[in-house]
Amino acid sequence: MDFPNTMRLFVSLEPPPEALQPVADAVVELGRVPGVRWSPPSRWHVTLAFLGDLDDDDVRRLAPPLRSAVAAAGPVRLRLAGTGTFGTSVLWAGVAGDVERLSSLAAGVAGAARAAGLGLEERPYRPHVTLARAAGRGGAGALGQLADQLAGVRGPTWTAVEARLVRSHTSDGRYEVLEHLPLLPPA
């Protein structure tokens, strides 16, 4: 695997389009909201760990323990359900289902990163999909109202069978999957 010199990376699960559709439809119905920047559904994901800016050597050290940690976790059944905010800056959709196994997977990914010598921020894992961010005057106040309006939206259950090591290109907002990491079923 060939990696660029320095890159901003995270590990995530990507819900299939049909799992996102009810939430995406509800967001379209809300339309434009002044001061709110919606994230397109093509960028929606469940982050397991934000790894930060890494170089090639970091990624080479990370890859083996990351593959092992993800493979050991096995598939996880999830669905999008509920909404909320992180302060006044982020609107999110919640994740329901086998959240205990999901949290264990996230802890395994974080443990793999630490085993590779990466310093990760210590904070509780809160599974979610970021839907929007406040982006100007009025946006901060609007997010709470949007969370209330979207609170009843639920997506269908889906099974995550792989995690992804993803590079975030901050210059153009593009995501690039560097590696597909299978969540292997128990033997």
Side-chain angles (χ1 to χ4, degrees), residues 68-133:
S68 295
V70 170
V76 183
R77 291 183 53 79
L78 304 167
R79 67 184 284 187
L80 299 185
T83 53
T85 62
F86 291 133
T88 58
S89 61
V90 174
L91 170 67
W92 50 260
V95 178
D98 199 350
V99 176
E100 187 175 311
R101 288 193 62 222
L102 176 61
S103 296
S104 178
L105 171 59
V109 168
R114 289 185 183 97
L118 306 180
L120 293 187
E121 207 174 287
E122 291 280 344
R123 66 170 120 167
Y125 181 65
R126 295 181 57 187
H128 68 280
V129 172
T130 298
L131 302 177
R133 296 183 185 279

Side-chain angles (χ1 to χ4, degrees), residues 129-176:
V129 172
T130 298
L131 302 177
R133 296 183 185 279
R137 217 179 284 192
L143 293 183
Q145 292 174 338
L146 292 169
D148 290 343
Q149 291 174 295
L150 294 169
V153 178
R154 303 282 185 267
T157 299
W158 57 282
T159 301
V161 295
E162 75 171 16
R164 296 175 177 195
L165 177 62
V166 180
R167 179 181 183 193
S168 175
H169 292 265
T170 54
S171 61
D172 60 10
R174 184 172 47 93
Y175 290 158
E176 174 187 0

Side-chain angles (χ1 to χ4, degrees), residues 10 13 25-26 33 39 41-42 45-46 61-62 66 74 78-81 84 92 104 124 130 136 144-145 151 162:
F10 61 90
L13 304 177
D25 291 345
V33 178
S39 178
S42 62
H45 61 272
V46 179
R61 279 194 321 274
L62 171 64
L66 181 60
L78 304 167
R79 67 184 284 187
L80 299 185
W92 50 260
S104 178
T130 298
Q145 292 174 338
E162 75 171 16

